[in-house]
């Protein structure tokens, strides 16, 4: 599974339908240009847009992923190189007038707050839902490596095991229900065996001593 390394981010883009948008990945020499869309978290009337740029140890829609150290370095380099005004629309690489005013990396992802003019067409598109997410554009290298298992992976695996166990229990229950019931047999005071289940002739009265 491709792991992104030496990630350098050039733009953070406001994009339409990020959950369904395919990542743009193409090879240039020994590097790749990439984008990776993530949902916008929320907006407010002051023209602020809150979202996640990239999550650590989680496969994106292209199947790529990056560890937290790589993401942190990319986030720091982005600001150190003065790229906080590099917020475009649909990866047109034209600054929209919006700016990243807050940026931090927690233990899971790179998160940002983007400031726009609340009366701008850009913000109106976000507020209306025309732009639903953030997508980074950058350059990186790739190596083949699987991401570490996460708590969500463990939960999903446990749910699958529980589902299989329930299916096995259901099959066992069905098998038990298909086993014919036994006849209830009683003895009278003279030692005769008497069937109590039904009167289908399967059992007849007889003396145990004769048997």
């Amino acid at each position: 599974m491709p792991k992104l390394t030496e990630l350098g981010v050039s733009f953070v883009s406001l994009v339409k339908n990020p959950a369904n948008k395919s990542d743009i990945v193409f090879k240039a020499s020994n590097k790749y240009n990439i984008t990776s869309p993530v949902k916008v978290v929320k907006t407010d009337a002051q023209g602020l847009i809150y979202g996640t740029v990239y999550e650590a140890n989680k496969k994106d829609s292209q199947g790529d992923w990056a560890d937290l150290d790589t993401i942190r370095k990319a986030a720091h380099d982005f600001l150190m190189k003065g790229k906080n005004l590099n917020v475009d629309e649909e990866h047109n690489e034209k600054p929209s007038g919006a700016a990243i005013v807050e940026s931090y990396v927690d233990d899971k992802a790179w998160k940002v707050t983007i400031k726009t003019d609340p009366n701008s067409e850009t913000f109106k598109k976000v507020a209306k839902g025309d732009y639903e997410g953030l997508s980074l554009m950058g350059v990186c290298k790739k190596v083949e490596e699987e991401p570490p298992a996460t708590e969500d992976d463990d939960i999903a695996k446990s749910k699958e095991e529980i589902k299989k166990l329930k299916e096995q229990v259901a099959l066992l229950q069905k098998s038990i229900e298909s086993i014919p019931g036994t006849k209830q047999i009683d003895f009278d005071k003279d030692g005769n065996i008497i069937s109590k289940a039904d009167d289908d002739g399967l059992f007849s009265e007889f003396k145990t001593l004769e048997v």
Side-chain angles (χ1 to χ4, degrees):
M1 186 60 60
K3 175 185 179 182
L4 309 183
T5 65
E6 300 182 32
L7 175 62
V9 178
S10 55
F11 274 90
V12 173
S13 185
L14 295 163
V15 294
K16 181 177 178 63
N17 299 325
N20 299 321
K21 176 182 171 65
S22 296
D23 289 350
I24 302 169
V25 179
F26 58 92
K27 190 172 183 179
S29 182
N30 63 337
K31 295 187 176 182
Y32 295 77
N33 286 342
I34 66 162
T35 64
S36 180
V38 185
K39 284 282 189 181
V40 165
V41 176
K42 64 177 181 178
T43 62
D44 66 20
Q46 299 177 23
L48 297 176
I49 303 165
Y50 304 86
T52 298
V53 179
Y54 206 87
E55 295 183 59
N57 302 328
K58 183 177 181 180
K59 297 177 184 177
D60 59 31
S61 59
Q62 193 68 26
D64 300 330
W65 67 283
D67 61 30
L68 191 61
D69 288 341
T70 298
I71 294 170
R72 180 180 288 109
K73 184 178 184 303
H76 292 175
D77 288 347
F78 184 81
L79 293 184
M80 288 177 67
K81 293 178 180 178
K83 295 182 179 180
N84 65 307
L85 295 178
N86 284 9
V87 179
D88 66 359
E89 299 178 42
E90 295 290 1
H91 297 295
N92 61 11
E93 298 184 53
K94 298 178 181 179
S96 63
I100 293 177
V101 293
E102 296 178 13
S103 172
Y104 68 97
V105 180
D106 59 18
D107 60 348
K108 293 182 179 180
W110 175 15
K111 300 178 181 180
V112 297
T113 301
I114 298 173
K115 173 70 174 177
T116 63
D117 180 350
N119 297 313
S120 68
E121 289 301 314
T122 298
F123 185 73
K124 289 177 182 178
K125 289 177 182 178
V126 177
K128 287 192 303 182
D130 291 341
Y131 293 150
E132 297 182 354
L134 302 179
S135 176
L136 69 80
M137 177 177 285
V139 177
C140 69
K141 289 184 178 180
K142 290 188 177 185
V143 297
E144 286 298 320
E145 185 177 331
E146 285 290 332
T150 65
E151 183 177 350
D152 289 341
D153 293 334
D154 292 338
I155 291 173
K157 184 177 180 181
S158 296
K159 287 183 177 179
E160 184 64 26
E161 290 176 350
I162 291 172
K163 180 181 177 182
K164 290 181 179 179
L165 183 59
K166 286 183 177 179
E167 291 173 351
Q168 292 174 353
V169 170
L171 288 174
L172 180 60
Q173 182 66 31
K174 187 175 181 180
S175 298
I176 293 174
E177 291 174 353
S178 67
I179 298 174
T182 58
K183 301 292 184 179
Q184 180 179 347
I185 300 174
D186 285 335
F187 296 87
D188 64 16
K189 62 180 181 179
D190 297 322
N192 298 321
I193 300 176
I194 304 174
S195 170
K196 296 291 187 180
D198 51 38
D199 192 23
D200 58 5
L202 187 61
F203 290 97
S204 59
E205 295 186 9
F206 56 90
K207 292 186 179 296
T208 55
L209 292 178
E210 295 175 353
V211 177

